């Protein structure tokens, strides 16, 4: 896979400085413009301020970029109905057709691993969808986590998913799921989900030591570090649940499914809450970028 590195990322790779990968589907499909552009920039700045180099990953006109210039960030953030949402399997098609795409957690992990990047920050991963028995909709993020040695720092999986089934699938796939300062799986907009985790760390150094041990045994799968949203930013669980239920009904009525399901529901929730989910969503992404950078710094020390 031929990768196009930004000068900043190239330099960090050469010097073995800590790097944090950032995904771009949340830019192309996850947030409305211009919030998508501001969160992309803020995540990059948060990584830099915490001592690491940000590597936002995207496909631009068929080329896989690892690290974007500000002009390139703006290019993918500007509303454009042709941009793809690329998971791992979409990359060859996107490249051959010289298309532009935001990369999902799965595709970003695959590319980060090729680039030699260990840490990756995002908002929430994809997982097992509600209604899976009828739709078989299970995000390829889980597949990638099962086979790609990158640590993903997130705030759990979006509550629009089936969280208990997502946790079960992660266990089956052998993916360590580690709470950061919590014993529970965070539920994205809310601090808690009621679902207990087996593992917890409380400092970046502790998280880095788990990554070291994971590498030492030659593990070839991913690790999830789950960092809950700041309690003061969380949204009422009942209200979010109401909007999710309504969004799922709307998706069904409009025949929206497959890869369009997640972007549809994200848009639905933003509009149903008059945009009140945008700030908490941005805050948790920034916090995850900071934590991933701190873990990358610790990891590079040892
Ligand atoms: N969660 C968010 N915002 C997002 C996504 C997840 O809060 O934009 C994106 C991520 O890129 C994730 C993808 O990898 O949705 C999962 O999509 P799917 O369920 O189609 O695999
Ligand atoms: Mn899906």
């Amino acid at each position: 896979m031929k990768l196009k590195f930004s000068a900043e990322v190239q330099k960090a790779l050469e010097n073995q400085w800590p790097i944090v990968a950032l995904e771009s589907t949340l830019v192309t499909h996850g947030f409305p413009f211009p919030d998508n552009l501001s969160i992309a920039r803020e995540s990059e700045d948060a990584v830099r301020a915490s001592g690491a180099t940000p590597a936002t990953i995207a496909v631009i006109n068929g080329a896989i970029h690892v690290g974007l210039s500000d002009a390139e960030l703006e290019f993918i953030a500007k509303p454009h109905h042709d941009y793809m949402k690329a998971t791992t399997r979409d990359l060859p098609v996107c490249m051959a057709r010289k298309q532009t795409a935001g990369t999902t957690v799965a595709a970003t992990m695959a590319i980060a691993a090729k680039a030699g990047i260990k840490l990756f920050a995002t908002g929430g991963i994809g997982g097992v969808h509600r209604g899976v028995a009828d739709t078989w909709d299970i995000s390829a993020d889980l597949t990638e986590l099962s086979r790609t040695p990158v640590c993903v720092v997130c705030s759990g999986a979006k509550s629009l998913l089936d969280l208990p089934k997502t946790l079960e699938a992660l266990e089956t796939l052998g993916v360590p799921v580690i709470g950061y300062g919590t014993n529970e799986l965070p539920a994205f907009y809310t601090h808690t989900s009621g679902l207990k985790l087996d593992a917890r760390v409380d400092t970046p150094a502790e998280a880095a030591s788990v990554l070291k041990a994971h590498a030492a045994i030659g593990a070839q799968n991913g690790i999830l570090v789950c960092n809950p949203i700041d309690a003061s930013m969380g949204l009422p669980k009942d209200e979010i649940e109401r909007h999710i239920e309504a969004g799922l009904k709307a998706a069904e009525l409009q025949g929206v499914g497959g890869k369009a399901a997640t972007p549809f529901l994200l848009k639905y929730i933003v509009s149903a809450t008059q945009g009140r989910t945008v700030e908490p969503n941005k805050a948790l992404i920034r916090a995850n970028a900071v934590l991933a950078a701190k873990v990358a710094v610790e990891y590079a020390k040892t």
Side-chain angles (χ1 to χ4, degrees):
M1 203 189 303
K2 207 166 147 249
L3 307 176
K4 241 181 133 156
F5 295 106
S6 67
E8 187 187 17
V9 170
Q10 180 77 45
K11 192 169 170 200
L13 282 169
E14 281 164 9
N15 291 286
Q16 293 183 297
W17 290 337
I19 303 175
V20 173
L22 300 166
E23 64 145 307
S24 50
T25 289
L26 67 85
V27 181
T28 55
H29 292 74
F31 279 90
F33 181 83
D35 292 293
N36 60 347
L37 181 56
S38 57
I39 190 55
R41 286 181 174 146
E42 287 164 22
S43 304
E44 292 204 338
D45 290 343
V47 169
R48 290 189 193 98
S50 307
T53 299
T56 302
I57 291 176
V59 187
I60 299 180
N61 299 325
I64 296 183
H65 287 248
V66 179
L68 300 182
S69 66
D70 197 62
E72 287 161 346
L73 260 191
E74 225 180 285
F75 179 75
I76 63 163
K78 288 266 164 72
H80 198 297
H81 62 88
D82 273 353
Y83 291 175
M84 286 173 74
K85 167 183 164 188
T87 188
T88 317
R89 72 163 186 176
D90 302 315
L91 290 174
V93 173
C94 187
M95 292 163 75
R97 290 189 186 155
K98 307 233 177 307
Q99 281 180 284
T100 293
T103 49
T104 64
V105 168
T108 306
M109 280 184 81
I111 296 163
K114 291 268 189 288
I117 300 172
K118 292 292 303 175
L119 269 299
F120 166 20
T122 185
I125 61 159
V128 180
H129 283 253
R130 299 186 191 186
V132 64
D134 297 319
T135 61
W136 284 50
D137 192 351
I138 301 173
S139 175
D141 291 358
L142 298 184
T143 315
E144 207 57 46
L145 278 161
S146 75
R147 65 180 181 201
T148 303
V150 167
C151 172
V152 183
V153 179
C154 64
S155 297
K158 268 268 161 87
S159 37
L160 52 92
L161 298 168
D162 186 323
L163 296 183
K165 289 195 181 74
T166 299
L167 259 193
E168 287 296 340
L170 286 163
E171 183 183 356
T172 303
L173 297 169
V175 180
V177 182
I178 300 166
Y180 189 80
T182 179
N183 299 312
E184 275 188 34
L185 179 73
F188 203 81
Y189 297 120
T190 52
H191 200 265
T192 55
S193 64
L195 298 166
K196 292 271 174 285
L197 296 179
D198 293 333
R200 165 183 179 146
V201 297
D202 290 280
T203 63
E206 251 185 287
S209 66
V210 175
L211 299 199
K212 283 280 165 187
H214 185 257
I217 57 171
Q220 290 302 311
N221 56 2
I223 293 189
L224 267 191
V225 170
C226 298
N227 186 28
I229 189 169
D230 189 290
S232 67
M233 290 296 268
L235 293 163
K237 216 178 213 153
D238 300 349
E239 190 198 339
I240 291 295
E241 190 53 36
R242 231 181 29 245
H243 296 313
I244 291 170
E245 289 289 344
L248 289 167
K249 277 213 185 81
E252 199 185 330
L253 279 173
Q254 295 175 41
V256 177
K259 68 195 290 183
T262 302
F264 177 90
L265 287 162
L266 295 177
K267 271 198 197 91
Y268 187 93
I269 294 168
V270 169
S271 94
T273 57
Q274 282 95 40
R276 275 186 306 118
T277 50
V278 171
E279 280 313 314
N281 200 345
K282 284 169 120 178
L284 66 86
I285 292 170
R286 280 194 303 267
N288 294 341
V290 168
L291 178 57
K294 287 181 176 167
V295 177
V297 167
E298 290 298 328
Y299 190 82
K301 271 187 197 163
T302 38

